[in-house]
Amino acid sequence: MIGTLCIFTLLSSTAAWGPVGRWREGRVRNETGGGSGDRCTCDAFLPSSTFPIRDLVVVEQTAVEISHKVELEMGKLEDYETKLTAYAERIIQLTVEIEKMEKNPDDYNDAALDGVKVEIKQVEALVKELQLSIASSTIIFQSLHVQITTMVATLDWMEKTYDKNAVLVTRREYIKVQLELEECERRHQELFNPNIGSCAHNGIIRVSKPIVSQLNAHLSSGYKFGGWGKDSKPVPDRESMYWYSGYTSTSIVDIRFYTNYKNLILRNNFQHHNLQSGWTGTGNNYIIRDNTLYYQINSPFGLAKLNFTTMKYESRVIAKASTRFSYTDMPNQNFDFAADETGLWVTYATEESSGRMVIAKINEPSFGVEEEWQTSVYKPGVSNAFMVCGVLYAVRTVDIQTEEIFYKYDTRTKQESHISVLFEKFQDKFSNLDFNPTDQRLYMYNNGYYASYHLWFNHTTQATAQPPLVLTS
């Protein structure tokens, strides 16, 4: 109407996000003011928070950039493989020539010897150059993991805050990129560390930066207790299977299985087992081995195993094991199961040992203790522990971002020693840390997040002379 001023007032709202706000019904009103005519006002509701499209675009752009970098690294790996083959062949040829010279030194003059020495130095220079290239690739992998970790945090926040369907396309792109990076790292590890499953080494010398997959399958930061990983002795057709169990307390009440890594990330489990009454457990240091869950129970206090192929349940009591000693800042972790290249283990503390850790080898068919070893490390001073090739590695907290592998006990030689191999955490608290011999990785359940680490071992004399690499941010 003529002479009427219409004012639209924008009000905040808790409405769901969207491109258009919502109008308040029945709020059109006429007002008569002291001015020149009537005035009507309409109140329009806009959402209190709009969908962060800019953040989503940044994630998508980052995914594309990472994908391109991974493609470049895959190309480099093929080049490395070609060079390694050529260098190995030349070294074999030089070895044969040197052996001939040693057997018949009179048949060769000084010029021939000098020629071989020059070739050896040339091969040494090429190997050093290749080592620098490998180190450069490792740094790039670490950088890519930092970017992916940021993507994980952003996508998890968006899924919890906004419509999950709007994030799904980007989540799939992220999964594709992460799988590409995993494959590139797998080839890198196979090329330069082909000794997976071998115990011909002198121990751990380095731990990678954390590889953060995502928040747990419940998409809840409240599920701080639990574990995840792979079967350490997978049954046929389940070599790529992953498992996860999480809860809001240290109890273990169910477990989920995923056919592969992609389905783990998509939270698409193919089996979900709820532990029956009387089968529930406690603590967070359980593992899956041979499609069997090994875990701690409190009634009676002891060990339990549940075979998911036969659904057969068994339990055992270790009379000397004490309920008083758990890991630092993590209750009810009295028994800690571990698996390595040599079999199944469990660690605990006793009153006789005054809280010092005891290592026990478990006979898998009988579920009995075969042998025990007494260590000098005090369990309440340890944040977690794991086994590799019959050697116990104990871990302690340095600060909110750093853990240290500080102690090892070799059950073959009964020798113990103090070491220092530092590695980073994604979050400050973690409830589960286990080594898997099928891929030589550490799996950590880090304050509700899936995290894992690559390990490097001292396979050569040269590695013995090098100090452990300390990873810093």
Side-chain angles (χ1 to χ4, degrees):
M1 57 184 169
I2 299 175
T4 299
L5 175 66
C6 286
I7 301 174
F8 293 86
T9 306
L10 300 180
L11 303 177
S12 64
S13 168
T14 57
W17 68 273
V20 181
R22 295 188 301 182
W23 296 100
R24 177 186 291 177
E25 296 180 2
R27 290 289 289 158
V28 180
R29 60 185 185 273
N30 291 333
E31 297 179 359
T32 303
S36 58
D38 295 334
R39 180 177 65 181
C40 68
T41 64
C42 300
D43 297 337
F45 278 78
L46 290 181
S48 58
S49 58
T50 56
F51 185 75
I53 190 65
R54 182 179 299 174
D55 292 340
L56 195 59
V57 169
V58 169
V59 170
E60 291 172 345
Q61 290 174 342
T62 303
V64 172
E65 291 172 5
I66 293 175
S67 184
H68 288 162
K69 290 178 181 177
V70 170
E71 288 177 6
L72 289 173
E73 291 305 310
M74 290 292 279
K76 289 181 184 178
L77 284 177
E78 293 175 0
D79 183 48
Y80 296 161
E81 194 167 7
T82 301
K83 288 181 178 178
L84 276 175
T85 303
Y87 297 168
E89 290 175 354
R90 188 58 192 136
I91 289 170
I92 291 172
Q93 292 171 0
L94 286 170
T95 303
V96 172
E97 291 179 23
I98 291 169
E99 287 175 350
K100 289 179 179 178
M101 290 179 175
E102 289 176 342
K103 290 179 180 178
N104 304 292
D106 296 335
D107 295 342
Y108 298 90
N109 56 27
D110 291 341
L113 290 172
D114 290 341
V116 171
K117 288 179 182 178
V118 169
E119 285 197 60
I120 290 173
K121 289 191 176 294
Q122 288 175 343
V123 172
E124 285 180 347
L126 291 171
V127 170
K128 287 181 180 178
E129 181 183 346
L130 185 59
Q131 286 176 331
L132 290 173
S133 299
I134 295 169
S136 174
S137 289
T138 301
I139 292 170
I140 291 172
F141 286 148
Q142 293 172 354
S143 173
L144 293 177
H145 281 306
V146 171
Q147 290 180 276
I148 284 182
T149 298
T150 303
M151 289 170 63
V152 169
T154 302
L155 289 172
D156 287 341
W157 171 71
M158 287 181 182
E159 285 187 337
K160 287 187 294 182
T161 309
Y162 302 100
D163 186 354
K164 295 178 184 178
N165 291 328
V167 189
L168 186 57
V169 174
T170 303
R171 167 70 76 178
R172 286 173 178 162
E173 183 66 23
Y174 149 71
I175 293 170
K176 174 178 174 290
V177 170
Q178 193 175 41
L179 288 173
E180 288 174 350
L181 181 57
E182 291 275 330
E183 173 63 14
C184 190
E185 285 197 310
R186 183 189 65 78
R187 289 189 59 187
H188 185 276
Q189 188 166 10
E190 286 180 353
L191 191 58
F192 303 112
N193 185 20
N195 300 299
I196 289 179
S198 169
C199 289
H201 58 75
N202 296 323
I204 298 170
I205 57 172
R206 181 182 167 196
V207 181
S208 74
K209 287 185 179 288
I211 304 165
V212 183
S213 298
Q214 68 168 32
L215 193 61
N216 57 68
H218 292 92
L219 283 183
S220 172
S221 57
Y223 283 74
K224 299 183 178 188
F225 305 95
W228 80 292
K230 300 186 72 175
D231 192 316
S232 63
K233 186 182 176 183
V235 298
D237 298 325
R238 291 199 174 190
E239 291 83 359
S240 61
M241 184 186 74
Y242 284 80
W243 61 270
Y244 156 70
S245 178
Y247 204 54
T248 55
S249 72
T250 56
S251 299
I252 171 171
V253 297
D254 67 347
I255 190 162
R256 291 170 167 82
F257 292 99
Y258 306 85
T259 54
N260 51 38
Y261 184 78
K262 179 179 179 180
N263 283 320
L264 171 80
I265 300 300
L266 289 173
R267 300 182 292 279
N268 181 26
N269 60 272
F270 75 94
Q271 283 184 345
H272 180 196
H273 291 282
N274 287 296
L275 303 187
Q276 298 178 16
S277 177
W279 290 3
T280 56
T282 190
N284 299 113
N285 277 270
Y286 38 81
I287 62 169
I288 299 291
R289 181 172 177 80
D290 198 19
N291 206 34
T292 300
L293 172 68
Y294 290 91
Y295 61 111
Q296 174 183 321
I297 55 173
N298 279 349
S299 183
F301 175 66
L303 317 177
K305 62 183 289 190
L306 176 59
N307 187 302
F308 292 110
T309 303
T310 63
M311 293 310 295
K312 180 182 178 182
Y313 171 85
E314 295 181 60
S315 64
R316 291 287 185 273
V317 171
I318 297 181
K320 293 181 179 180
S322 173
T323 60
R324 289 203 306 124
F325 304 104
S326 183
Y327 289 137
T328 305
D329 299 327
M330 193 57 62
N332 300 323
Q333 297 197 163
N334 311 108
F335 289 110
D336 183 2
F337 282 96
D340 66 3
E341 296 83 352
T342 66
L344 179 66
W345 306 81
V346 67
T347 59
Y348 49 88
T350 67
E351 297 295 336
E352 286 182 0
S353 70
S354 300
R356 293 176 177 83
M357 292 182 69
V358 176
I359 308 168
K361 184 69 181 293
I362 299 294
N363 181 291
E364 294 179 55
S366 68
F367 200 34
V369 174
E370 292 181 352
E371 193 174 354
E372 291 181 331
W373 294 263
Q374 174 69 62
T375 76
S376 65
V377 65
Y378 186 55
K379 182 166 183 174
V382 174
S383 57
N384 221 291
F386 57 92
M387 299 290 297
V388 179
C389 290
V391 178
L392 172 76
Y393 290 89
V395 177
R396 65 185 174 191
T397 299
V398 176
D399 54 45
I400 61 173
Q401 293 181 327
T402 312
E403 291 288 310
E404 178 188 34
I405 303 174
F406 74 99
Y407 171 91
K408 68 177 184 177
Y409 183 98
D410 192 331
T411 60
R412 298 164 296 183
T413 62
K414 298 183 180 179
Q415 292 182 343
E416 56 187 356
S417 59
H418 287 273
I419 59 177
S420 180
V421 180
L422 304 181
F423 63 98
E424 297 178 9
K425 295 177 288 187
F426 176 61
Q427 299 279 322
D428 58 337
K429 302 290 184 183
F430 67 98
S431 60
N432 188 300
L433 182 68
D434 272 304
F435 171 77
N436 193 300
T438 66
D439 56 10
Q440 284 192 339
R441 291 173 73 166
L442 280 178
Y443 288 86
M444 174 189 282
Y445 191 68
N446 193 184
N447 217 17
Y449 284 84
Y450 305 145
S452 62
Y453 300 85
H454 291 298
L455 297 180
W456 281 265
F457 296 92
N458 180 5
H459 286 285
T460 65
T461 304
Q462 182 181 2
T464 306
Q466 294 176 346
L469 176 64
V470 178
L471 297 176
T472 58
S473 58

